[in-house]
């Protein structure tokens, strides 16, 4: 089965990416995770994302484009990146999610992909 | 005649067959549908042709064929196609000629109580898929509408299928964490039966079904002390069931029950089960709860419950598992062992927001205040306890207690 692992980080972690003495540790942890999961051969795609400050949201209502600054949800945790992985079952996906550096601070959402036949 | 025997043959193998089918197709709903087709075929054919030598093998073969037919017809449905691939992959794997099929019910129990599934549906899901209870009966036991229960069960099964929950046993490292929701769900099913009013036989039967689930779990995990602990706990409570109501249906609290009405066979089995758990040397919540019930049961030999042992066990249980029910039970036990004031002190430590709508808290508080001659507070607590009581017999018991204070 294919799953998207959606990595949610909190605002502190987004700040840490650029302006913090812990920046090296932050990127080091992600680099190790990416190397680990890539070496396992299960990755089908994925990217890290720039922070929610850079997000733009679009809705079309009554034919009108409504473009707004910021992400859809003003939540404490924001999407920071994702992987598409191919594993046997949900427990295997959960095991990979649990290794993500953001799991102890933000969280990981695990969604099966809508695979077209 | 044949209908009854067919039903019995089916009843005995239902959970085993759903488990075998769903463990391979990873789809409980489709497994149940396929088995329902096979059962229908059995009801049509068996009364005329006789029950086959190996009814399980017959049902399994028909169910698997029906499932594959159905999946083939619906190749546009992605989930069905996936299950078709899984089913045909293992086409030769289930040896229908083998004397015994592998028992996959344990995997099914773990899937039903998977942490990715809403805990409030775990118990209902087990009762349906492992024991074959229909949604209407489960709904009656859980006091919700059959429609709502049916929808929630369907939703949970779709989640299991679409999220790709694997029918694999958790490995040793995860086992403790994954076993707990299984035990909790079985005990929740038991609790729904136990708390039911005396005249509600459907809900009463549920307690027996939960004991059956508990026995199944012990049979599948004979070395798991908490599974044994849970079974011992339920057997202790079952043993007391004949003494819980007076001949007029009135509620009889444990301290006033006639021990000669307790089922000695059940008690003996409960004690033997708890001893088996204890011998494994890994204590836990359910073993402690069973030990508390065992100490209460000791009254039938000595005439008096061992109050300090009960209080000590509650203390240990409260340290490892500080749930509200345990905290209130501990307060009652402290009052018995060390006096009413000690019990009231335990109750006073509890967070008022948590206890506001918790009926046992008010019932215990009312009793302790009445015994401490604090009449005003006791009446107030009785009023709260009476208003929160869902069982009419408990309500009349409390009302009568309250009236005594005024006379």
């Amino acid at each position: 089965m294919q799953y998207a692992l959606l990595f949610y980080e909190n605002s502190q972690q987004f700040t840490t990416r650029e302006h913090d003495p812990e920046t090296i540790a932050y990127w080091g942890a992600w680099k190790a995770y990416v190397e680990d999961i890539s070496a396992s051969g299960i990755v089908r795609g994925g990217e890290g994302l720039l922070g929610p400050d850079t997000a733009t949201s679009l809705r079309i209502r009554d034919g009108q484009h409504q473009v707004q600054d910021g992400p859809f949800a003003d939540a404490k945790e924001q999407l920071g990146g994702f992987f598409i992985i191919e594993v046997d079952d949900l427990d295997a996906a959960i095991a990979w999610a649990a290794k993500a550096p953001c799991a102890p601070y933000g969280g990981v959402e695990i969604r099966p992909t809508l695979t077209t036949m | 005649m044949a209908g009854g025997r067919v039903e019995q043959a089916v009843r005995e193998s239902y959970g085993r067959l759903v488990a075998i089918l769903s463990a391979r197709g990873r789809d409980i709903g489709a497994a149940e549908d396929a088995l329902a087709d096979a059962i229908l075929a059995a009801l049509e054919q068996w009364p005329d042709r006789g029950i086959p030598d190996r009814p399980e093998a017959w049902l399994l073969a028909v169910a698997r064929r029906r499932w594959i037919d159905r999946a083939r017809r619906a190749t546009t449905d992605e989930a069905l196609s996936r299950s078709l691939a899984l089913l045909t992959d293992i086409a030769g794997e289930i040896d229908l000629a083998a004397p015994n099929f592998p028992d996959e019910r344990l995997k099914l129990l773990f899937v039903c109580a998977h942490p990715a599934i809403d805990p409030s549906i775990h118990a209902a899901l087990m009762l349906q898929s492992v024991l074959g209870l229909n949604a209407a009966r489960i709904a009656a036991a859980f006091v919700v509408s059959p429609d709502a229960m049916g929808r929630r069960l369907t939703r949970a099964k779709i989640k299991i299928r679409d999220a790709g929950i694997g029918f694999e046993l958790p490995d040793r490292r995860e086992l403790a964490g994954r076993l707990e929701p299984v035990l909790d769900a079985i005990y929740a099913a038991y609790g729904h039966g136990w708390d039911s009013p005396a005249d509600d036989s459907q809900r009463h039967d549920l307690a027996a079904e939960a004991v059956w689930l508990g026995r199944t779990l012990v049979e599948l995990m004979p070395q798991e002390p908490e599974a044994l602990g849970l079974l011992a706990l339920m057997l202790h409570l079952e043993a007391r069931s004949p003494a819980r109501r007076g001949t007029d249906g009135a509620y009889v609290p444990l301290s006033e029950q006639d021990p000669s009405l307790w089922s000695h066979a059940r008690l003996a089995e409960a004690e033997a089960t708890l001893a088996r758990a204890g011998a494994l040397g890994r204590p836990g919540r359910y073993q402690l709860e069973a030990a508390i019930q065992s100490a209460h049961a000791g009254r039938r030999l000595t005439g008096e419950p061992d109050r300090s042992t009960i209080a000590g066990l509650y203390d240990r249980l409260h340290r490892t598992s500080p749930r509200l029910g345990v905290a209130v039970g501990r307060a009652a036990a402290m009052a018995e062992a060390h006096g009413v004031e000690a019990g009231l002190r335990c109750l006073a430590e509890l967070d008022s927001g948590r206890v506001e709508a918790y009926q046992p808290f008010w019932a215990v508080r009312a009793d302790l205040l009445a015994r401490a001659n604090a009449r005003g507070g006791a009446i107030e607590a009785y009023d709260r306890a009476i208003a929160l009581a869902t069982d009419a017999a408990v309500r009349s018991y409390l009302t009568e207690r309250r009236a005594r204070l005024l006379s």
Side-chain angles (χ1 to χ4, degrees):
Chain A
M1 298 228 349
Q2 277 197 2
Y3 295 88
L5 299 184
L6 307 171
F7 303 112
Y8 283 81
E9 306 197 276
N10 60 32
S11 54
Q12 179 63 45
Q13 288 167 298
F14 281 107
T15 317
T16 306
R17 284 177 170 192
E18 290 166 43
H19 316 283
D20 203 284
E22 291 162 28
T23 299
I24 293 171
Y26 171 89
W27 287 115
W30 275 108
K31 185 165 174 284
Y33 179 63
V34 170
E35 281 173 5
D36 199 12
I37 197 168
S38 302
S40 74
I42 60 170
V43 174
R44 300 292 172 265
E47 288 294 348
L49 302 175
L50 288 182
D53 296 351
T54 67
T56 304
S57 306
L58 163 80
R59 291 181 179 87
I60 297 178
R61 293 292 180 275
D62 303 321
Q64 299 291 310
H65 284 217
Q66 298 174 357
V67 176
Q68 272 187 341
D69 178 29
F72 277 116
D74 187 20
K76 198 163 127 264
E77 280 96 12
Q78 291 288 340
L79 189 62
F82 66 94
F83 271 125
I84 306 292
I85 60 167
E86 176 110 32
V87 290
D88 275 351
D89 59 30
L90 180 63
D91 285 323
I94 292 173
W96 278 107
K99 292 182 187 171
C102 65
Y105 308 102
V108 186
E109 185 169 316
I110 302 150
R111 291 264 200 115
T113 62
L114 185 65
T115 319
T116 46
M117 298 301 292
Chain B
M1 186 278 300
R5 280 177 54 215
V6 169
E7 271 165 31
Q8 201 193 339
V10 165
R11 170 87 220 242
E12 279 164 12
S13 34
Y14 186 90
R16 283 164 49 80
L17 293 176
V18 168
I20 289 172
L21 288 162
S22 52
R24 282 160 179 78
R26 282 197 196 170
D27 184 341
I28 297 174
E32 287 172 340
D33 288 346
L35 187 56
D37 283 355
I39 290 169
L40 203 61
L43 289 169
E44 281 166 13
Q45 299 175 23
W46 292 0
D48 293 337
R49 300 184 204 168
I51 296 180
D53 289 344
R54 301 183 55 234
E56 277 198 351
W58 192 97
L59 287 166
L60 197 54
V62 173
R64 196 173 51 159
R65 206 158 55 231
R66 297 288 168 101
W67 189 343
I68 291 173
D69 288 349
R70 222 186 259 227
R72 283 210 178 105
R73 282 200 302 275
T75 43
T76 49
D77 184 324
E78 200 238 325
L80 268 176
S81 309
R82 196 172 61 236
S83 67
L84 178 63
L86 288 166
L87 283 168
T88 44
D89 272 357
I90 48 84
E93 194 202 311
I94 312 174
D95 181 0
L96 293 171
N100 289 306
F101 302 122
D103 196 333
E104 307 281 37
R105 285 176 298 175
L106 191 56
K107 291 179 183 171
L108 187 55
L109 285 170
F110 276 104
V111 167
C112 289
H114 194 281
I117 300 300
D118 174 8
S120 70
I121 197 76
H122 287 174
L125 207 50
M126 281 181 187
L127 290 166
Q128 180 162 72
S129 61
V130 183
L131 298 184
L133 268 57
N134 67 38
R137 179 142 173 242
I138 299 169
F142 285 76
V143 206
V144 297
S145 83
D147 278 355
M149 180 54 81
R151 274 196 304 276
R152 295 186 59 211
L153 284 166
T154 304
R155 199 161 58 223
K157 284 182 247 180
I158 290 173
K159 167 84 191 269
I160 288 168
R161 181 191 73 191
D162 289 351
I165 293 180
F167 281 67
E168 298 298 330
L169 293 179
D171 64 32
R172 276 256 148 249
R173 279 173 300 128
E174 293 173 49
L175 193 62
R178 291 286 308 279
L179 181 60
E180 201 177 303
V182 174
L183 299 169
D184 292 350
I186 294 174
Y187 194 44
Y190 186 82
H192 276 282
W194 171 258
D195 288 336
S196 63
D199 53 359
D200 190 336
S201 65
Q202 275 198 318
R203 286 181 64 186
H204 266 299
D205 290 350
L206 199 63
E209 301 287 359
V211 173
W212 191 354
L213 278 177
R215 286 189 198 283
T216 306
L217 190 66
V218 162
E219 185 190 314
L220 298 169
M221 303 184 95
Q223 296 299 312
E224 189 46 61
E226 280 292 89
L228 289 159
L230 171 63
L231 180 59
L233 170 61
M234 293 191 293
L235 289 169
H236 263 299
L237 297 174
E238 281 296 278
R240 266 187 232 141
S241 155
R244 292 177 71 215
R245 307 281 164 175
T247 42
D248 53 355
Y251 169 75
V252 184
L254 175 56
S255 58
E256 291 165 28
Q257 285 174 16
D258 174 1
S260 70
L261 296 174
W262 295 344
S263 157
H264 288 201
R266 283 268 163 72
L267 281 178
E269 193 191 352
E271 293 297 350
T273 307
L274 184 56
R276 260 177 78 191
L280 293 163
R282 280 178 288 143
R285 173 206 159 177
Y286 285 106
Q287 292 169 80
L288 281 170
E289 296 225 22
I292 289 169
Q293 300 311 324
S294 167
H296 277 297
R299 171 156 74 87
R300 84 182 192 286
L301 304 172
T302 59
E304 288 291 317
D306 183 349
R307 297 189 173 90
S308 67
T309 298
I310 293 171
L313 287 166
Y314 261 115
D315 247 352
R316 270 182 76 186
L317 183 58
H318 189 251
R319 272 198 302 276
T320 53
S321 177
R323 286 161 302 114
L324 194 50
V326 172
V328 171
R330 173 173 168 260
M334 286 299 183
E336 295 305 318
H338 308 297
V340 171
E341 291 304 328
L344 284 168
R345 270 198 302 278
C346 290
L347 289 181
E349 285 165 11
L350 300 177
D351 174 48
S352 58
R354 275 177 84 202
V355 301
E356 200 172 354
Y358 190 62
Q359 200 270 349
F361 172 86
W362 295 105
V364 169
R365 184 175 153 84
D367 178 50
L368 297 186
L369 286 174
R371 283 155 61 183
N373 292 319
R375 220 168 63 153
I379 287 173
E380 209 175 298
Y382 272 122
D383 287 337
R384 299 285 289 268
I386 291 163
L388 289 166
T390 50
D391 183 345
V394 170
R395 215 161 30 238
S396 12
Y397 171 83
L398 293 169
T399 307
E400 191 260 327
R401 287 279 155 145
R402 182 186 183 279
R404 275 195 212 175
L405 286 176
L406 296 171
S407 61

